[in-house]
Amino acid sequence: VILPGAAGAAITALDDPAWTLTWRDEFAGPALNSTVWGIRTNESHCCGPFGGNGELQLYLPDEVAVSDGFLNLHTHRRKAVDPKGKLWNFTSGWIDTKGRFAQKFGRFEANCSLPRRNATGIWPAFWLMPNSSQCWPTGGEVD
């Protein structure tokens, strides 16, 4: 996350000098930094436990891993039962900074590798979500 004129770490030569880095995560440790990131568990998109918008996957913490400077969010076709007894046929990983880090303005960047284009049924995404209690879509979203 970089903001024009904000105090922070140095910008690399590849970046625009009009912007100042305010936060970054290179995923350099052996695990996700829990002071900044939260792992969603037993949820379906931001509508709370088992709510959702018709998504077919259940978000589970074992689908989130950090290794060798990479964050890996996995998706699998596997059966999983949530605590309410609902059967899901797919699982995936979801992390966010809600309640840990938020910034209203700036330039937001991510370097993501996505699955093959012919990976049927997969909708990978990098979202900027609201930090409020409002759920998507009323709370806003930037894809």
Side-chain angles (χ1 to χ4, degrees), residues 39-64 73-75 78 80-83 88 90-95 123-125 127:
I39 299 175
R40 294 291 183 107
T41 303
N42 292 327
E43 295 193 42
S44 177
H45 202 57
C46 79
C47 300
F50 327 113
N53 59 359
E55 291 185 10
L56 300 177
Q57 74 272 356
L58 179 65
Y59 293 102
L60 296 174
D62 66 345
E63 298 289 15
V64 177
L73 302 176
H74 300 280
T75 299
R78 67 173 174 157
V81 178
D82 68 32
W88 299 81
F90 302 92
T91 60
S92 187
W94 175 4
I95 64 167
W123 189 295
W127 294 325

Side-chain angles (χ1 to χ4, degrees), residues 13 18 30 34 39 61 64-65 69 73 76 80 84 86 92 115-116 119 129 136:
S34 63
I39 299 175
V64 177
L73 302 176
H76 289 100
K84 289 190 174 182
K86 181 177 178 182
S92 187
R116 298 181 321 268
M129 300 292 288
W136 172 88

